[in-house]
Amino acid sequence: DDKLLSEPLSHPDFFNVKELFSLKDLFDARVHLGHKKGCRHRFMEPYIFGCRLDQDIIDLDQTMQHLQLALNFTAHIAYRKGIILFISRKRQFCHLVESTARECGEYAHTRYWQGGLLTNAHIQFGSGVRLPDLLVFLSSLNNAFQPHVAIRDAAKMNIPTVGVVDTNCNPCLITYPIPGNDDSPTAMELYCKLFRMTIIRAKDKRRQSEVFDELR
Amino acid sequence: MAAAVGRVLRLGGRWSAAAPGGPRAQMLRLIYTTTAVQRKNAGASGPEKYTEAFIKKQIEEFNLGKRHLANMMGEDPETFTQEDIDRAIAYLFPSGLFDKQARPMMKHPTEIFPEQRKIQWGEDGRPFHFLFYTGKQSYYSLMHETYEKLLSVQKYQDQLTAQDLPPQKEKRENICDILNRNLAGSRWLTKIELEEMLLEKLSDDDYSRFIQLLQKLMTLPCGNIEEKYIQKFSKVVPAQLQKIVIEPLKYDERGVAFSTGEGKRKTARATAVVYDNGTGKITVNGIDVLHYFPVLQDREQLLFPFQFLDRVGKHDMVCTVSGGGRSAQAGAIRLASAKALRSFVTEKEVEFMRQAGLLTVDPRVKERKKPGQEGARRKFTWKKR
């Protein structure tokens, strides 16, 4: 059992998430497109490649690295049977995110965030509830263009976060930020597809390893 | 501080932090009770949760008690229905209480204990529903499903337009039928009914959003694909008018057609028998109308239904009336005669009578006097000092 859990940690990319995406895929899905110069957040400047006709372009090389780290981390969490909660407050992609979560067998929250969901969980849900082990933000702003409350709450409750940060977002409290576009439908579909494939891959690998152990 | 003092005064020292209130109260001999300890336990978990084992036990006890009750009443335990139980309980425990729900009752536990949601997560702590962490999982899953239906209808529409087929097809009549049906006889579920269906509390905003989504789904051209789904959330409202049955005319020994009607007003109750081929003679309690109602206003009230239908001198009427005062008796006879005249007259004229207010019972009764006031509304004279 110990070997089952410690073996994946020895490899840098045990689940081979690098092969799921390429730079061309990211470019075709318009992940590099950011908002206008005026909307730029100060802390996103390191991730921005440049500015063309007032529109920020995100550096896709950095996005590749961050995406690989984030997907690897998600895969490890899924391998260890953790609870993953997808969050996005974009009304356009609410249905897409919920369907993705349902297909993975994980959970989603694309609706109004009630204040005490993470911090006051034992009273909201009942005692003995298990909180999510990872929050995945497919858009880290809420409908008022402010950072989502769940980022701060997850930091308070020591829950790691993975988040797609656009040029107008604050990447500070997110453990694995992924600089990229969160407004285009193609980009969102790409992220959903990638997360779904990593989680399913990790869960299948876990089931296989358990079966091998039992056979031995 | 007060709790600590309370604990010190307890004898034997046999106490635990999470012991229930009942046995503990019998064990200790406090000099004064403290509310600090009780305050910690109250309001922690919300409404009481009934475990499945508890409900099962209640059902077994109910069935056993039903058989005992049947034996007590001398009836067959196998064929003892809920109505028999209610009658037996009312016989054995007569109660003069006004509120029916305050009287002793013996009903199946599923009716007494409200349906509650069981524990939402499995042994490993993972919740069963994928929207568990939103807080309102049933409502949001309902919205998700309805939106999915909307998307599928739009996809179907797109397919039809891609194949150059008209979006309505031959199902145009169905849409008209649905709309007509909705105008005449169906309504959406109310908020309370939806709450019962979902076993969750909803806010007014949530409810109105859901209804708007359903209406949007319904108004799409190809919305009738999802008719079955929409019907789950609509209820049929039977038209009130069709419920009233107009009795046919009866014929007495002389071959004259007659019909009866009953009416009431305040405390007066009246029955009227209206005969055809008459001269306009009216008898009340065996006395002629001129002697019984000396005041013109009352006689006018009696004549109003006949005058409305232009049948003033054509019918005879014999009525009996009791209770109430002068005006109330006149109003009661008026209603009774109007109801009797329905059998003589076409449906259109019945509708005219209904719209004129001749067929409605006047609900006004004397308002009760309230304490602290001189009458129903009149207050005592206000004195400045």
Side-chain angles (χ1 to χ4, degrees):
Chain A
D1 198 39
D2 244 357
K3 208 183 152 199
L4 198 73
L5 293 177
S6 59
E7 203 205 317
L9 296 175
S10 45
H11 302 249
D13 194 2
F14 185 71
F15 301 95
N16 202 6
V17 290
K18 264 196 243 180
E19 64 170 21
L20 290 172
F21 59 92
S22 68
L23 200 87
K24 189 168 187 307
D25 290 337
L26 294 185
F27 185 82
D28 289 334
R30 310 179 207 180
V31 162
H32 58 290
L33 300 173
H35 289 271
K36 291 277 189 178
K37 196 166 69 178
C39 295
R40 195 193 299 169
H41 193 100
R42 199 181 141 187
F43 297 142
M44 288 300 287
E45 280 162 20
Y47 304 120
I48 292 175
F49 181 70
C51 189
R52 168 128 181 165
L53 294 171
D54 266 7
Q55 188 180 9
D56 288 330
I57 308 295
I58 300 169
D59 189 356
L60 282 183
D61 294 316
Q62 292 189 47
T63 305
M64 290 270 282
Q65 292 167 7
H66 283 90
L67 193 54
Q68 192 266 320
L69 289 171
L71 288 177
N72 185 37
F73 185 72
T74 331
H76 279 275
I77 295 270
Y79 183 84
R80 300 166 95 90
K81 298 199 181 160
I83 295 181
I84 302 180
L85 183 63
F86 287 90
I87 301 181
S88 164
R89 205 52 181 102
K90 285 241 147 75
R91 221 181 119 106
Q92 238 180 328
F93 310 115
C94 154
H95 187 82
L96 175 68
V97 171
E98 285 183 342
S99 326
T100 317
R102 196 173 44 176
E103 282 154 26
C104 295
E106 299 295 339
Y107 308 87
H109 185 114
T110 54
R111 311 285 177 165
Y112 180 73
W113 181 271
Q114 284 175 330
L117 279 188
L118 291 181
T119 42
N120 206 16
H122 288 287
I123 300 193
Q124 291 250 334
F125 297 118
S127 50
V129 71
R130 186 177 149 186
L131 287 180
D133 300 306
L134 174 67
L135 298 194
V136 178
F137 286 91
L138 289 156
S139 135
S140 70
L141 296 182
N142 62 14
N143 284 344
F145 298 105
Q146 284 157 356
H148 202 290
V149 177
I151 303 176
R152 191 197 69 195
D153 281 352
K156 280 189 186 174
M157 304 299 287
N158 286 344
I159 300 172
T161 32
V162 162
V164 173
V165 279
D166 207 348
T167 45
N168 55 353
C169 306
N170 187 351
C172 283
L173 284 177
I174 304 173
T175 8
Y176 290 92
I178 305 171
N181 189 10
D182 60 4
D183 299 296
S184 300
T186 40
M188 288 301 269
E189 277 166 15
L190 177 76
Y191 298 134
C192 286
K193 189 184 85 172
L194 289 175
F195 279 108
R196 186 172 55 233
M197 283 163 75
T198 36
I199 292 174
I200 291 175
R201 210 182 253 205
K203 286 185 172 172
D204 286 339
K205 202 121 193 204
R206 172 67 184 237
R207 246 176 278 138
Q208 275 174 12
S209 313
E210 280 181 341
V211 163
F212 284 153
D213 271 356
E214 267 177 54
L215 286 175
R216 260 185 260 133
Chain B
M1 170 62 192
V5 175
R7 262 180 256 140
V8 159
L9 289 168
R10 233 164 277 169
L11 294 177
R14 278 181 295 137
W15 61 276
S16 60
R24 207 217 251 139
Q26 291 153 15
M27 269 184 344
L28 46 88
R29 280 195 271 155
L30 281 175
I31 296 186
Y32 64 88
T33 49
T34 65
T35 48
V37 183
Q38 283 132 21
R39 221 181 290 138
K40 252 187 256 172
N41 291 333
S45 52
E48 258 182 81
K49 300 224 162 68
Y50 306 109
T51 50
E52 267 197 62
F54 174 78
I55 302 273
K56 255 193 187 167
K57 211 178 76 143
Q58 293 293 315
I59 295 176
E60 279 167 23
E61 283 182 14
F62 172 78
N63 286 328
L64 210 60
K66 200 168 88 166
R67 297 183 75 91
H68 278 303
L69 192 63
N71 276 332
M72 264 192 264
M73 300 300 287
E75 308 232 7
D76 179 20
E78 305 296 328
T79 55
F80 206 54
T81 58
Q82 185 60 42
E83 286 135 12
D84 297 327
I85 297 179
D86 292 332
R87 252 186 286 126
I89 296 287
Y91 172 70
L92 293 170
F93 302 99
S95 154
L97 294 174
F98 182 78
D99 193 354
K100 302 275 192 285
Q101 298 211 317
R103 299 182 188 171
M105 68 161 121
M106 183 167 154
K107 296 217 185 300
H108 194 79
T110 40
E111 290 171 46
I112 300 184
F113 298 106
E115 224 185 289
Q116 279 181 343
R117 294 221 265 157
K118 301 132 198 162
I119 291 282
Q120 305 289 328
W121 51 85
E123 266 180 24
D124 56 350
R126 287 193 134 232
F128 298 128
H129 201 275
F130 75 107
L131 290 175
F132 169 75
Y133 286 106
T134 54
K136 303 183 214 168
Q137 66 180 48
S138 335
Y139 169 70
Y140 285 134
S141 76
L142 189 71
M143 292 291 277
H144 180 83
E145 254 183 65
T146 318
Y147 190 71
E148 219 169 287
K149 303 275 177 198
L150 197 86
L151 287 178
S152 73
V153 166
Q154 282 175 346
K155 211 170 91 170
Y156 181 73
Q157 257 180 287
D158 291 338
Q159 278 174 357
L160 286 182
T161 32
Q163 292 163 17
D164 288 328
L165 289 166
Q168 283 93 0
K169 280 170 81 172
E170 324 87 34
K171 296 201 180 171
R172 193 65 213 244
E173 312 89 58
N174 272 3
I175 300 170
C176 291
D177 281 339
I178 293 169
L179 286 173
N180 287 340
R181 232 196 313 134
N182 281 340
L183 287 172
S186 80
R187 60 170 176 88
W188 297 116
L189 284 186
T190 57
K191 184 172 157 234
I192 300 169
E193 284 166 359
L194 196 61
E195 277 184 354
E196 274 171 41
M197 204 168 104
L198 299 176
L199 296 175
E200 247 179 18
K201 290 269 172 228
L202 291 179
S203 77
D204 290 329
D205 221 15
D206 293 336
Y207 172 71
S208 58
R209 266 177 193 262
F210 177 61
I211 299 294
Q212 279 168 11
L213 196 59
L214 280 178
Q215 280 167 347
K216 186 171 175 186
L217 183 58
M218 203 173 69
T219 49
L220 284 179
C222 297
N224 37 9
I225 303 168
E226 305 296 345
E227 214 182 294
K228 265 191 223 155
Y229 183 75
I230 297 177
Q231 269 169 10
K232 266 195 263 177
F233 303 105
S234 62
K235 274 205 171 157
V236 181
V237 174
Q240 289 291 331
L241 284 175
Q242 285 143 19
K243 277 191 194 163
I244 303 167
V245 176
I246 302 175
E247 278 165 46
L249 290 172
K250 284 172 270 190
Y251 293 88
D252 68 359
E253 321 95 23
R254 282 178 293 145
V256 179
F258 72 95
S259 100
T260 0
E262 280 173 3
K264 63 175 178 173
R265 171 88 212 274
K266 281 192 185 177
T267 340
R269 301 284 180 272
T271 38
V273 184
V274 176
Y275 293 93
D276 209 357
N277 299 339
T279 50
K281 207 169 62 142
I282 303 177
T283 317
V284 184
N285 282 355
I287 305 171
D288 188 40
V289 68
L290 278 171
H291 296 290
Y292 198 85
F293 290 119
V295 181
L296 176 67
Q297 178 194 337
D298 304 332
R299 290 196 296 267
E300 275 185 335
Q301 286 287 300
L302 292 203
L303 280 176
F304 180 29
F306 300 100
Q307 185 195 9
F308 186 80
L309 298 167
D310 285 329
R311 289 163 180 248
V312 181
K314 297 181 192 159
H315 291 282
D316 269 345
M317 189 158 75
V318 177
C319 11
T320 46
V321 65
S322 66
R326 184 198 84 206
S327 230
Q329 287 187 343
I333 301 174
R334 182 184 108 175
L335 179 62
S337 58
K339 282 197 177 163
L341 280 171
R342 274 185 315 192
S343 324
F344 288 95
V345 141
T346 56
E347 272 199 30
K348 242 189 179 177
E349 298 207 289
V350 170
E351 178 63 23
F352 287 149
M353 277 216 287
R354 188 189 73 91
Q355 287 185 358
L358 276 169
L359 298 176
T360 352
V361 177
D362 199 335
R364 297 177 289 176
V365 281
K366 190 159 174 166
E367 200 176 311
R368 77 160 261 206
K369 175 197 172 317
K370 282 103 191 174
Q373 293 176 0
E374 187 151 332
R377 299 284 171 107
R378 158 121 174 107
K379 323 280 187 280
F380 290 125
T381 316
W382 177 74
K383 300 206 180 90
K384 203 162 183 178
R385 37 188 83 75

